[in-house]
Amino acid sequence: MKRRALTTRPGGKAATAAAAFAGLIAVSGCSFGGIASLPLPGGPDTGSNPYEVKVDFANVLDLVPQSTCKVNDVSVGKVTKIQLQGWHAQVVCKLRRDVKLPDNAVATIGQTSLLGEKYVALSAPTQEPASGTLGQGDEIPLSRTTRTTEVEEVLSALSLLLNGGGIEQVSTITQELNAAMHGREDTIKDVLRQVNTFVGTLDKQKAQITRAIDSIDRLSGKLAAEKQTIADTIDKAGPAVEILKQNRADLTQMLVSLGKLGNVTTNVINQSRDDLLANLKSLEPLLINLNRTGSNLPKGLELLLSYPFPPTYTNAQVGDYANIHMTIDLDLKNLAHNLLGGTALDGQLAKQSDQLRAQLKPPQITIPQSPLGVLPAGLTSPGGLSGGSSGGTGTGTTGGALPPLGSAEPGVQTLITGGLS
């Protein structure tokens, strides 16, 4: 019996591997969904009892199944399915049961690095308080999902800026600025200093500016509160406007007449200007003298209430008698100065007074002084002051002599001597 040596044809090992793979597919049945359905080595562990949530994205970029789901950069699940839902994409995420998220959670498609893989980042909302708990079958709508900017988009925008934007014009702008500022450095520095002063002043006045803005805010609030009142006032002003409209011709005529009156008044003032200025100049000495009087004029006006007596006249009259000490100055010079002071007549009357004083000499009058208790000659006491009894024939004393002081009654003696013994 001849034995044949076993030979292996080229490609035999590959055929064997293919047959084994085909057997694996046959064993798995219809549940195989392609290579993407196989779990990746080192992928996140979702545990034995995970739950699924649906996340709607307007654009999932290049997110693929088996991508990671993260919370605070910690892998907590994976993407199991990406499907088209209307005009947007719907991503099904399988999360661990111990992951607790609010019912209004937000989702973002992030990227691990500049050229890294995409992942779904889940987090609590930052614009509103968290509420509820995310559970099995819940859906995060489009309004709460976003995506990061792609590197391609950044490079495209940078290319547009460099090629068709303003970068290429920076050199031209710089040259024009240098040409405009050349020779004007001092002016530009002065403008900058003024701007600095202005900004500093605004900074110092910021409290007042804030108060002004607050006052305007309060005013606006009051106007808003009185809005209905203002509206009613405007509505009720309609009849008044109608009356003004009806009397428009009269109002126009009145304004025209006022214009004519103004023209006449202007002409009168222009024509009488010289006379008015002359009158004012004539009043100048009077006003100067009034100013010189100072407080004397008000005091002098007080005399009008008690003329010809001084204001203190009431102090001299007590009861049924009065004590008056009066000094009458009839000197012409003093009278002229008091009544016509500051005028031309004052000087003229003063000269005439000096001449009159030189011509007149006061008379020399001697008033006899009688001794105490003796009446002037020719005067007798009432009743003759006769001595003796009522039936006697004695004659009265002559020469104005009074009875001896010792013989007078005590009351008369006291009156004559003033109480002196």
Side-chain angles (χ1 to χ4, degrees):
M1 181 177 179
K2 294 182 180 180
R3 298 181 178 179
R4 299 177 63 182
L6 296 176
T7 58
T8 303
R9 292 179 298 175
K13 293 183 179 181
T16 303
F21 185 72
L24 180 60
I25 293 175
V27 173
S28 61
C30 298
S31 62
F32 181 69
I35 192 66
S37 63
L38 297 177
L40 296 178
D45 183 15
T46 57
S48 59
N49 187 22
Y51 66 95
E52 292 184 348
V53 295
K54 299 177 181 179
V55 186
D56 296 335
F57 288 101
N59 189 352
V60 292
L61 303 176
D62 56 350
L63 185 71
V64 296
Q66 304 301 325
S67 297
T68 306
C69 297
K70 295 184 177 183
V71 176
N72 295 330
D73 293 332
V74 178
S75 299
V76 295
K78 61 183 178 179
V79 176
T80 59
K81 185 186 296 184
I82 300 176
Q83 58 188 4
L84 185 63
Q85 187 73 24
W87 293 95
H88 62 273
Q90 189 176 73
V91 179
V92 180
C93 299
K94 184 180 290 185
L95 306 177
R96 294 202 311 259
R97 179 62 61 177
D98 60 346
V99 176
K100 303 298 181 182
L101 290 170
D103 189 55
N104 57 346
V106 296
T108 303
I109 295 179
Q111 193 169 357
T112 56
S113 61
L114 186 62
L115 300 176
E117 63 179 3
K118 301 292 189 298
Y119 65 92
V120 178
L122 302 172
S123 62
T126 58
Q127 303 296 330
E128 56 181 333
S131 61
T133 303
L134 193 66
Q136 175 65 32
D138 290 343
E139 182 177 350
I140 301 177
L142 285 173
S143 60
R144 297 205 301 269
T145 59
T146 57
R147 68 179 181 88
T148 58
T149 304
E150 287 288 285
V151 177
E152 293 84 353
E153 296 175 349
V154 176
L155 295 178
S156 176
L158 182 60
S159 175
L160 180 63
L161 178 64
L162 295 176
N163 295 329
I167 296 299
E168 61 183 4
Q169 301 176 359
V170 171
S171 176
T172 304
I173 295 173
T174 304
Q175 293 177 0
E176 294 297 332
L177 287 176
N178 290 334
M181 295 180 181
H182 181 69
R184 300 181 178 88
E185 291 82 1
D186 296 337
T187 304
I188 295 174
K189 290 180 180 179
D190 182 66
V191 170
L192 293 177
R193 284 193 294 268
Q194 293 180 8
V195 171
N196 183 38
T197 303
F198 175 71
V199 174
T201 304
L202 288 180
D203 181 68
K204 293 178 181 179
Q205 301 294 330
K206 60 184 178 182
Q208 291 83 346
I209 296 173
T210 303
R211 285 197 297 269
I213 295 175
D214 293 339
S215 300
I216 294 174
D217 180 67
R218 289 193 296 270
L219 176 61
S220 302
K222 291 181 179 179
L223 291 177
E226 299 295 335
K227 180 171 61 177
Q228 185 61 38
T229 304
I230 297 174
D232 294 340
T233 303
I234 295 175
D235 294 338
K236 293 180 180 179
V241 175
E242 185 65 25
I243 293 175
L244 291 176
K245 180 180 178 181
Q246 295 174 0
N247 295 276
R248 181 176 59 182
D250 297 336
L251 292 175
T252 304
Q253 183 64 30
M254 181 187 69
L255 294 177
V256 172
S257 301
L258 286 176
K260 295 180 179 179
L261 177 61
N263 294 332
V264 173
T265 304
T266 303
N267 293 332
V268 171
I269 293 175
N270 291 334
Q271 295 177 5
S272 61
R273 179 178 58 185
D274 296 336
D275 296 336
L276 179 61
L277 293 176
N279 293 333
L280 293 177
K281 290 182 180 179
S282 299
L283 288 175
E284 182 179 2
L286 176 61
L287 297 176
I288 292 174
N289 291 323
L290 287 176
N291 183 44
R292 289 175 179 175
T293 58
S295 60
N296 295 326
L297 180 60
K299 293 180 180 179
L301 293 176
E302 294 178 358
L303 293 173
L304 295 177
L305 301 177
S306 59
Y307 184 81
F309 303 103
T312 57
Y313 171 73
T314 56
N315 298 331
Q317 183 176 1
V318 181
D320 55 353
Y321 64 94
N323 298 323
I324 298 177
H325 179 75
M326 181 181 298
T327 301
I328 300 176
D329 189 357
L330 298 179
D331 185 76
L332 184 59
K333 183 178 180 179
N334 294 337
L335 290 175
H337 180 72
N338 292 331
L339 299 178
L340 304 174
T343 64
L345 296 176
D346 183 13
Q348 296 178 3
L349 293 179
K351 294 179 180 179
Q352 294 179 3
S353 176
D354 294 337
Q355 296 175 1
L356 186 60
R357 184 182 294 108
Q359 296 176 1
L360 296 179
K361 294 183 179 180
Q364 299 294 330
I365 300 175
T366 303
I367 299 175
Q369 300 293 332
S370 301
L372 182 63
V374 178
L375 293 176
L379 295 180
T380 58
S381 60
L385 295 176
S386 59
S389 62
S390 58
T393 59
T395 60
T397 59
T398 61
L402 295 176
L405 294 178
S407 63
E409 295 183 1
V412 176
Q413 182 179 358
T414 301
L415 178 62
I416 294 174
T417 61
L420 298 176
S421 59

